Amino acid sequence: GDSWGIFTFLCAALCNLPALPALNCSEELGAGQSIQQTYDLTRYLEHQLRTLAGTYLNYLGPPFNEPDFNPPRLARAERVPSATVDLDLWRGLTDNARLAANYRAYSRLLCYLRVLDGQVGTAELRHRLAHFCASLQGLVLSIGGVMSSLGYPLPVGPAGPPAPPGAPAAPNDFLKKMDDFWLLKELQTWLWRSAKDFNRLKKKVPPAVVTLRLEARGF
């Protein structure tokens, strides 16, 4: 009867499943999850930095902790990777180029922060800096994971030391504090822009998209 025919057809189909191509989950699943996690970490670091920056600027004292303090960027601060790039030019870059720029920048900023951590004079501030450095290291690794999941190579070569060999130290305490001020300011801008980058990227690569590919032959 009809029931027996349907049963026979299902049995035959099950027996022949190994001959069909395997269900293929696209790599978008892993990439999307990695992008979402990186976006979440970037927003967390933004929040964490707001507290850290306020504490550190109070440690530096006036005028650095005054809300309207906005000095021009000094030439010696150019060693810190700048995020002050025209937004239209930045958005015109490929995803690969933006990810690579983020990876390099945070690797270098992390080097600077670790030096900073060894120079502060209070145990509480050193603890906060160490915690932030650990989170930023996680962001560098997470960006690397996103690049790998999307098939992009990691930038080649070391991020570079905070200062070239033989570079002169700040000639006075004020200029040293100015270096620290610009480090925090650039880091805030990088995190703000990175959050926007990963928000756009996660819309292009949804975190839960599964694509099934079946090839039916002979039908």
Side-chain angles (χ1 to χ4, degrees), residues 5 8 19 27 77 87 91 109 124 159 169:
T8 304
E27 292 183 359
L87 283 178
R91 290 171 183 169
L109 289 164
E124 180 186 357

Side-chain angles (χ1 to χ4, degrees), residues 32 45-46 50 79 97 104 114 132 215:
L45 280 163
E46 277 191 290
R50 280 194 289 270
R79 295 195 305 269
R104 291 191 195 95
R114 283 174 171 161
F132 186 84
E215 293 181 7

